[in-house]
Amino acid sequence: MSTVFSEQQDPADLPGDMDLEDRHALRRVAGLSTELQDVSEVEYRALRLERVVLIGVWAEGSLASAENSLRELSRLAETAGSEVLDGLIQRRSQVDAATYVGSGKARELAGIVAAADADTVICDGELTPSQLRRLEGVVKVKVVDRTALILDIFAQHARSREGKAQVELAQLQYMLPRLRGWGESLSRQAGGRVAGGGGIGTRGPGETKIETDRRRLRARIARLQKDIASLSTGRKVQRGQRRRRDVPSVVIAGYTNAGKSSLLNALTGAGVLVEDALFATLDPAVRRAVTPSGRAFTLTDTVGFVRHLPHQLVEAFRSTLEEAAEADLIVHVVDGSDADPEAQIAAVRGVLADIGAAHVPELVVVNKIDAADPVVLQALRARVPGSVSVSAKTGAGLTVLREAIEAALPRMDAQVRVIVPYRRADLVARAHADGEVLRAEHVPDGTLLEARVPPGLAAKLEAAALTLEPVWNPLEPAAP
């Protein structure tokens, strides 16, 4: 695909300082055409792929940032099963309220769509219902915005009952204000004098077809919200059980396709799905892991985030994302090989703030260092102090990561030194599983155990012990 760029301006320039040539130009972004390997693949994919043209508006930030956003949109479109024909960016001070790109550029876009024989236009932003309708009227093909595209990908990847319900809820919430009639069929009323010979039960003010559809959508939304609330009860019970046993919770969060599931497998051997695709994981997976000293904790994989993640998805997946808000530590995974990893970090932190998880301690983990630019990695380490660099693929840095997780977990607050009778070996096993055993020695009357354990377990050890030295709490001053 040919690449045409007009003269670039300083990204620091204010929108009002844009050159006339800049505003009038549609910039093509190189490297967005979907590459097909052979004739058979062309024939196969032509039957199932939509042929799309991408369009974005560069209203703020640098040109590189706008191009990275459009390239990400291209990957999203291909993940949804589309063939990307072309990608264009328009420089504007703000998005046009009527047609997203302005009436003149909309007509120019219509010509590009016709020349490329495309059947869909995907906009790199969320369009209002009026923008969607007017732009479709100009380009004469289907128009999809970024939000609808992401929702479509989620719908394709949802597997569990809860995941499917969450995606359907988000789609219906997006669709509700965008219902519109085609012709007069959706504006006809049933009832009243216009009902003619409708008979008993059909007279009255009635409602239009579009009003009927909206009512049905609202009823379905209410039903889905009720179902999701009931499905999340089991996960809340499990979280409560872990809390009662004082098992620390660690959540893996990060940008989509940053390698979160690969990292979960590398740390726990979980064997969850790993795929080089956007939003491959929608359902959280909880696995048990241990620190280098043997302390147990749970590790949870979560759905990936993305720039401009639709707020409908955040609301629909809120019950799932509660895992992050209630965790003891968030392992924030960043794709070190990405063109703009700092933008990924900002996007993920924005979503974490939306779900009330900004207060949770965060450990930034830069993944894919085997494929990353060393210069980019060095700059990232300088901007994110305390980060850990790893490769889930090769295993590099995983030992350091385990040690960093252990150091970041909340410490136990009670240290005991007891002789546990052999008949209560279950308490010794719990000390190994839930605490940090400093010393374990077999003596004639039982097991001499010195450990740092949760307060509840310390009380049980005290009750069962044959000989117990005073429980030492590091938060209390030492006896004189």
Side-chain angles (χ1 to χ4, degrees), residues 376-399:
V376 174
L377 287 179
Q378 185 176 359
L380 199 56
R381 292 190 190 103
R383 291 185 175 89
V384 188
S387 63
V388 179
S389 300
V390 304
S391 171
K393 182 178 180 180
T394 66
L398 292 182
T399 300

Side-chain angles (χ1 to χ4, degrees), residues 137-157:
V138 176
V139 298
K140 306 302 182 184
V141 297
K142 180 173 67 176
V143 175
V144 175
D145 62 13
R146 186 185 183 96
T147 299
L149 177 61
I150 294 175
L151 290 173
D152 183 78
I153 296 171
F154 269 61
Q156 292 181 39
H157 289 182

Side-chain angles (χ1 to χ4, degrees), residues 93 96 143 160 172 223 238 286 294 324 337 342 372:
S93 59
D96 183 70
V143 175
S160 69
L172 294 181
R223 179 64 182 175
Q238 292 174 349
V286 183
S337 64
E342 292 184 50

Side-chain angles (χ1 to χ4, degrees), residues 326-447:
E326 298 184 14
D328 296 300
L329 175 67
I330 293 177
V331 173
H332 180 173
V333 183
V334 182
D335 183 357
S337 64
D338 187 75
D340 192 1
E342 292 184 50
Q344 287 193 0
I345 293 175
V348 172
R349 285 176 174 170
V351 177
L352 290 175
D354 288 342
I355 62 175
H359 67 283
V360 180
E362 176 192 55
L363 175 62
V364 176
V365 179
V366 182
N367 192 23
K368 303 185 183 180
I369 59 174
D370 54 305
D373 185 348
V375 177
V376 174
L377 287 179
Q378 185 176 359
L380 199 56
R381 292 190 190 103
R383 291 185 175 89
V384 188
S387 63
V388 179
S389 300
V390 304
S391 171
K393 182 178 180 180
T394 66
L398 292 182
T399 300
V400 177
L401 174 59
R402 290 188 178 97
E403 294 172 350
I405 291 175
E406 181 172 26
L409 289 178
R411 302 300 305 171
M412 302 298 184
D413 59 357
Q415 184 168 325
V416 296
R417 187 173 185 271
V418 294
I419 296 178
V420 183
Y422 286 124
R423 67 177 183 275
R424 295 308 311 269
D426 60 306
L427 293 178
V428 178
R430 279 196 59 185
H432 281 279
D434 300 343
E436 182 180 352
V437 175
L438 306 176
R439 179 187 175 193
E441 180 182 339
H442 296 297
V443 296
D445 296 329
T447 302

Side-chain angles (χ1 to χ4, degrees), residues 85-162:
L85 304 178
D86 210 342
L88 307 107
I89 294 177
Q90 185 197 9
R91 180 65 159 132
R92 293 180 61 91
S93 59
Q94 59 184 6
V95 171
D96 183 70
T99 60
Y100 182 69
V101 292
S103 57
K105 285 296 170 287
R107 290 191 294 270
E108 188 176 340
L109 177 62
I112 295 172
V113 167
D117 193 24
D119 51 35
T120 304
V121 170
I122 302 180
C123 299
D124 192 17
E126 182 169 342
L127 273 60
T128 64
S130 61
Q131 286 174 327
L132 198 66
R133 182 172 60 253
R134 289 170 180 168
L135 188 57
E136 277 187 349
V138 176
V139 298
K140 306 302 182 184
V141 297
K142 180 173 67 176
V143 175
V144 175
D145 62 13
R146 186 185 183 96
T147 299
L149 177 61
I150 294 175
L151 290 173
D152 183 78
I153 296 171
F154 269 61
Q156 292 181 39
H157 289 182
R159 294 291 179 268
S160 69
R161 179 186 171 190
E162 185 176 13

Side-chain angles (χ1 to χ4, degrees), residues 34-53:
T34 302
E35 298 295 335
L36 302 178
Q37 301 299 322
D38 52 37
V39 175
S40 61
E41 186 179 358
V42 173
E43 293 173 347
Y44 170 68
R45 298 184 74 174
L47 296 176
R48 66 184 182 92
L49 293 185
E50 294 185 63
R51 296 165 57 84
V52 305
V53 171

Side-chain angles (χ1 to χ4, degrees), residues 221-301:
I221 287 172
R223 179 64 182 175
L224 287 170
Q225 289 172 333
K226 183 178 179 180
D227 290 345
I228 292 171
S230 63
L231 288 170
S232 65
T233 302
R235 191 166 47 252
K236 291 180 180 178
V237 170
Q238 292 174 349
R239 281 203 301 267
Q241 291 174 343
R242 294 197 295 267
R243 288 293 180 190
R244 283 194 296 273
R245 296 189 63 186
D246 294 297
V247 178
S249 172
V250 178
V251 166
I252 301 178
Y255 214 74
T256 180
N257 206 32
K260 298 182 296 299
S261 298
S262 298
L263 192 61
L264 177 69
N265 289 341
L267 291 174
T268 67
V272 299
L273 170 68
V274 174
E275 187 178 348
D276 185 17
L278 303 182
F279 301 115
T281 302
L282 293 188
D283 302 311
V286 183
R287 297 293 183 269
R288 183 181 183 274
V290 292
T291 64
S293 66
R295 185 182 179 190
F297 64 95
T298 59
L299 200 59
T300 304
D301 189 15

